């Protein structure tokens, strides 16, 4: 197997340069693991009918930070839930 590679990119550096100059309009806020935080709530009705939005859930990611399900809007999300009693 190959060693892990550095995941930082030129885009990361340019974002840092942009925020240093005071222009934060293009910098997207992220969680510790790199998940993007949504800019606004989705538009629609929450409910059980086809086409309705799923209720927004607060979840803990692998970095131990609380995230929200709606932050992953527009992408696929696999939720692994288990219960013990």
């Amino acid at each position: 197997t190959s060693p892990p590679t550095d995941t930082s990119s030129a885009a990361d550096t340019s974002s840092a340069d942009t925020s240093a100059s005071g222009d934060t309009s293009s910098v997207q806020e992220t969680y510790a693991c790199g998940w993007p935080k949504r800019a606004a709530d989705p538009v629609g009705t929450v409910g059980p009918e086809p086409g309705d939005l799923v209720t927004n859930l607060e979840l803990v990611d692998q970095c131990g930070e609380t995230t929200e399900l709606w932050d992953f809007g527009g992408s696929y999300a696999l939720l692994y839930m288990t219960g013990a009693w």
Side-chain angles (χ1 to χ4, degrees):
T1 63
S2 61
T5 58
D6 183 10
T7 58
S8 60
S9 66
D12 295 335
T13 323
S14 64
S15 295
D17 294 341
T18 304
S19 61
S21 66
D23 179 15
T24 58
S25 60
S26 63
V27 177
Q28 185 175 14
E29 190 177 356
T30 60
Y31 289 103
C33 283
W35 316 119
K37 292 185 178 184
R38 70 181 185 285
D41 288 342
V43 176
T45 304
V46 174
E49 300 300 319
D52 287 347
L53 297 172
V54 66
T55 301
N56 193 15
L57 302 174
E58 288 188 351
L59 309 161
V60 178
D61 66 12
Q62 64 265 33
C63 294
E65 190 171 18
T66 301
T67 61
E68 294 182 353
L69 182 59
W70 286 0
D71 288 333
F72 301 98
S75 61
Y76 292 100
L78 176 64
L79 302 178
Y80 178 78
M81 297 181 181
T82 184
W85 53 91

